[in-house]
């Protein structure tokens, strides 16, 4: 039985128990743990017999029926899922050999070599439609000049 149906029955029983008896339950734990679900169903039947709430007994029966049906796929503990993910990430990825470009990154003069005051690399792309054009001349800025940003100093 899918766990969402188990949670739906557990939630409905939770609401009934809360309204009629004041008992607060954990719906996810009830849907996942058969022993807890059996204890809550037993409690609901006792209260139904004591106080005359027929709907509590009906929903307790539904909970026991749905908990008797095994889940279609076993749940994997979170610790195991995380451990598997860490192992998978730790394994070196098999990558194909890099293809050679027309121009490699090592053949491009970095901006540190051309303009030592900046840490950015100049673009290696051509102009708008791939036309080759000589690189733009860079204007040098006086390092001692004051810098203003929207009037702030």
């Amino acid at each position: 039985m899918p766990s969402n149906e188990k949670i739906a029955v557990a939630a409905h029983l939770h609401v009934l128990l809360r309204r009629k008896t004041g008992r607060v339950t954990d719906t996810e734990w009830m849907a996942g743990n058969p022993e807890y679900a059996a204890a809550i169903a037993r409690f609901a039947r006792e209260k139904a017999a004591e106080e005359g709430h027929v709907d509590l007994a009906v929903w307790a029966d539904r909970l026991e029926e749905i908990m008797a049906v095994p889940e279609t796929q076993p749940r994997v503990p979170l610790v195991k899922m995380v451990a598997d993910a860490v192992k998978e990430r730790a394994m070196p990825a098999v990558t194909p050999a890099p293809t050679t470009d027309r121009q490699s990154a090592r053949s491009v003069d970095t901006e540190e070599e051309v303009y030592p005051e900046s840490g950015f690399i100049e673009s290696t792309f051509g102009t708008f439609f791939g036309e080759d054009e000589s690189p733009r001349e860079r204007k040098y800025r006086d390092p001692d000049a004051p810098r203003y940003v929207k009037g702030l100093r």
Side-chain angles (χ1 to χ4, degrees), residues 67-83:
M67 290 304 291
V69 178
E71 286 193 31
T72 55
Q73 51 180 304
R75 296 185 79 176
V76 179
L78 180 62
V79 174
K80 181 161 176 34
M81 288 186 345
V82 170

mmCIF file of all heavy atoms in Angstrom, residues 67-83:
data_model
loop_
_atom_site.group_PDB
_atom_site.id
_atom_site.type_symbol
_atom_site.label_atom_id
_atom_site.label_comp_id
_atom_site.label_asym_id
_atom_site.label_seq_id
_atom_site.Cartn_x
_atom_site.Cartn_y
_atom_site.Cartn_z
ATOM 1 N N MET A 67 -2.324 -0.959 7.551
ATOM 2 C CA MET A 67 -0.982 -1.248 8.054
ATOM 3 C C MET A 67 -0.604 -2.708 7.833
ATOM 4 O O MET A 67 0.573 -3.049 7.824
ATOM 5 C CB MET A 67 -0.880 -0.903 9.538
ATOM 6 C CG MET A 67 -0.920 0.583 9.822
ATOM 7 S SD MET A 67 0.326 1.546 8.948
ATOM 8 C CE MET A 67 1.807 1.009 9.766
ATOM 9 N N ALA A 68 -1.601 -3.579 7.636
ATOM 10 C CA ALA A 68 -1.323 -4.992 7.393
ATOM 11 C C ALA A 68 -0.760 -5.219 5.990
ATOM 12 O O ALA A 68 -0.045 -6.193 5.755
ATOM 13 C CB ALA A 68 -2.593 -5.822 7.576
ATOM 14 N N VAL A 69 -1.038 -4.323 5.075
ATOM 15 C CA VAL A 69 -0.541 -4.445 3.705
ATOM 16 C C VAL A 69 0.889 -3.901 3.661
ATOM 17 O O VAL A 69 1.139 -2.758 4.055
ATOM 18 C CB VAL A 69 -1.442 -3.655 2.726
ATOM 19 C CG1 VAL A 69 -0.900 -3.750 1.314
ATOM 20 C CG2 VAL A 69 -2.867 -4.159 2.799
ATOM 21 N N PRO A 70 1.847 -4.715 3.210
ATOM 22 C CA PRO A 70 3.242 -4.235 3.168
ATOM 23 C C PRO A 70 3.429 -3.161 2.095
ATOM 24 O O PRO A 70 2.693 -3.109 1.111
ATOM 25 C CB PRO A 70 4.049 -5.486 2.833
ATOM 26 C CG PRO A 70 3.092 -6.382 2.133
ATOM 27 C CD PRO A 70 1.730 -6.076 2.708
ATOM 28 N N GLU A 71 4.430 -2.336 2.323
ATOM 29 C CA GLU A 71 4.748 -1.289 1.332
ATOM 30 C C GLU A 71 5.330 -1.937 0.092
ATOM 31 O O GLU A 71 5.977 -2.985 0.163
ATOM 32 C CB GLU A 71 5.738 -0.290 1.915
ATOM 33 C CG GLU A 71 5.119 0.631 2.923
ATOM 34 C CD GLU A 71 6.029 1.804 3.252
ATOM 35 O OE1 GLU A 71 6.793 2.236 2.371
ATOM 36 O OE2 GLU A 71 5.954 2.265 4.378
ATOM 37 N N THR A 72 5.136 -1.295 -1.042
ATOM 38 C CA THR A 72 5.601 -1.857 -2.305
ATOM 39 C C THR A 72 7.119 -1.843 -2.405
ATOM 40 O O THR A 72 7.706 -2.730 -2.977
ATOM 41 C CB THR A 72 5.001 -1.085 -3.487
ATOM 42 O OG1 THR A 72 5.311 0.295 -3.340
ATOM 43 C CG2 THR A 72 3.498 -1.284 -3.539
ATOM 44 N N GLN A 73 7.761 -0.843 -1.862
ATOM 45 C CA GLN A 73 9.215 -0.778 -1.906
ATOM 46 C C GLN A 73 9.723 -0.493 -0.497
ATOM 47 O O GLN A 73 9.175 0.338 0.206
ATOM 48 C CB GLN A 73 9.695 0.288 -2.880
ATOM 49 C CG GLN A 73 9.055 1.654 -2.675
ATOM 50 C CD GLN A 73 9.570 2.649 -3.668
ATOM 51 O OE1 GLN A 73 10.764 2.834 -3.743
ATOM 52 N NE2 GLN A 73 8.675 3.255 -4.425
ATOM 53 N N PRO A 74 10.754 -1.197 -0.096
ATOM 54 C CA PRO A 74 11.274 -0.973 1.255
ATOM 55 C C PRO A 74 11.916 0.416 1.360
ATOM 56 O O PRO A 74 12.504 0.919 0.401
ATOM 57 C CB PRO A 74 12.315 -2.074 1.433
ATOM 58 C CG PRO A 74 12.719 -2.445 0.052
ATOM 59 C CD PRO A 74 11.509 -2.201 -0.815
ATOM 60 N N ARG A 75 11.777 1.002 2.521
ATOM 61 C CA ARG A 75 12.355 2.324 2.747
ATOM 62 C C ARG A 75 13.838 2.178 3.041
ATOM 63 O O ARG A 75 14.256 1.314 3.805
ATOM 64 C CB ARG A 75 11.660 3.007 3.902
ATOM 65 C CG ARG A 75 10.197 3.267 3.598
ATOM 66 C CD ARG A 75 9.575 4.025 4.687
ATOM 67 N NE ARG A 75 9.967 5.422 4.517
ATOM 68 C CZ ARG A 75 9.542 6.406 5.271
ATOM 69 N NH1 ARG A 75 8.719 6.166 6.252
ATOM 70 N NH2 ARG A 75 9.924 7.642 5.066
ATOM 71 N N VAL A 76 14.628 3.028 2.432
ATOM 72 C CA VAL A 76 16.063 3.036 2.650
ATOM 73 C C VAL A 76 16.351 4.065 3.745
ATOM 74 O O VAL A 76 15.882 5.206 3.657
ATOM 75 C CB VAL A 76 16.801 3.413 1.341
ATOM 76 C CG1 VAL A 76 18.291 3.462 1.560
ATOM 77 C CG2 VAL A 76 16.442 2.439 0.250
ATOM 78 N N PRO A 77 17.087 3.686 4.772
ATOM 79 C CA PRO A 77 17.397 4.650 5.828
ATOM 80 C C PRO A 77 18.161 5.850 5.270
ATOM 81 O O PRO A 77 18.955 5.732 4.333
ATOM 82 C CB PRO A 77 18.273 3.859 6.798
ATOM 83 C CG PRO A 77 18.000 2.427 6.504
ATOM 84 C CD PRO A 77 17.625 2.367 5.061
ATOM 85 N N LEU A 78 17.911 6.989 5.867
ATOM 86 C CA LEU A 78 18.539 8.225 5.415
ATOM 87 C C LEU A 78 20.057 8.141 5.501
ATOM 88 O O LEU A 78 20.767 8.634 4.625
ATOM 89 C CB LEU A 78 18.016 9.407 6.232
ATOM 90 C CG LEU A 78 18.573 10.766 5.878
ATOM 91 C CD1 LEU A 78 18.205 11.120 4.445
ATOM 92 C CD2 LEU A 78 18.054 11.819 6.833
ATOM 93 N N VAL A 79 20.567 7.502 6.538
ATOM 94 C CA VAL A 79 22.017 7.383 6.706
ATOM 95 C C VAL A 79 22.623 6.623 5.535
ATOM 96 O O VAL A 79 23.672 6.999 5.014
ATOM 97 C CB VAL A 79 22.344 6.681 8.046
ATOM 98 C CG1 VAL A 79 23.812 6.409 8.181
ATOM 99 C CG2 VAL A 79 21.838 7.504 9.205
ATOM 100 N N LYS A 80 21.952 5.565 5.100
ATOM 101 C CA LYS A 80 22.464 4.790 3.971
ATOM 102 C C LYS A 80 22.411 5.608 2.682
ATOM 103 O O LYS A 80 23.350 5.566 1.879
ATOM 104 C CB LYS A 80 21.663 3.500 3.811
ATOM 105 C CG LYS A 80 22.158 2.643 2.655
ATOM 106 C CD LYS A 80 21.709 1.235 2.770
ATOM 107 C CE LYS A 80 22.098 0.362 1.612
ATOM 108 N NZ LYS A 80 23.334 0.609 0.974
ATOM 109 N N MET A 81 21.324 6.365 2.485
ATOM 110 C CA MET A 81 21.229 7.194 1.279
ATOM 111 C C MET A 81 22.345 8.232 1.243
ATOM 112 O O MET A 81 22.976 8.452 0.207
ATOM 113 C CB MET A 81 19.869 7.889 1.215
ATOM 114 C CG MET A 81 18.745 6.952 0.886
ATOM 115 S SD MET A 81 17.114 7.669 0.613
ATOM 116 C CE MET A 81 17.168 9.295 1.223
ATOM 117 N N VAL A 82 22.615 8.861 2.383
ATOM 118 C CA VAL A 82 23.672 9.878 2.444
ATOM 119 C C VAL A 82 25.030 9.235 2.234
ATOM 120 O O VAL A 82 25.879 9.768 1.510
ATOM 121 C CB VAL A 82 23.598 10.643 3.780
ATOM 122 C CG1 VAL A 82 24.811 11.525 3.958
ATOM 123 C CG2 VAL A 82 22.332 11.462 3.854
ATOM 124 N N ALA A 83 25.265 8.083 2.855
ATOM 125 C CA ALA A 83 26.550 7.398 2.689
ATOM 126 C C ALA A 83 26.776 7.018 1.228
ATOM 127 O O ALA A 83 27.884 7.177 0.698
ATOM 128 C CB ALA A 83 26.604 6.159 3.572
#
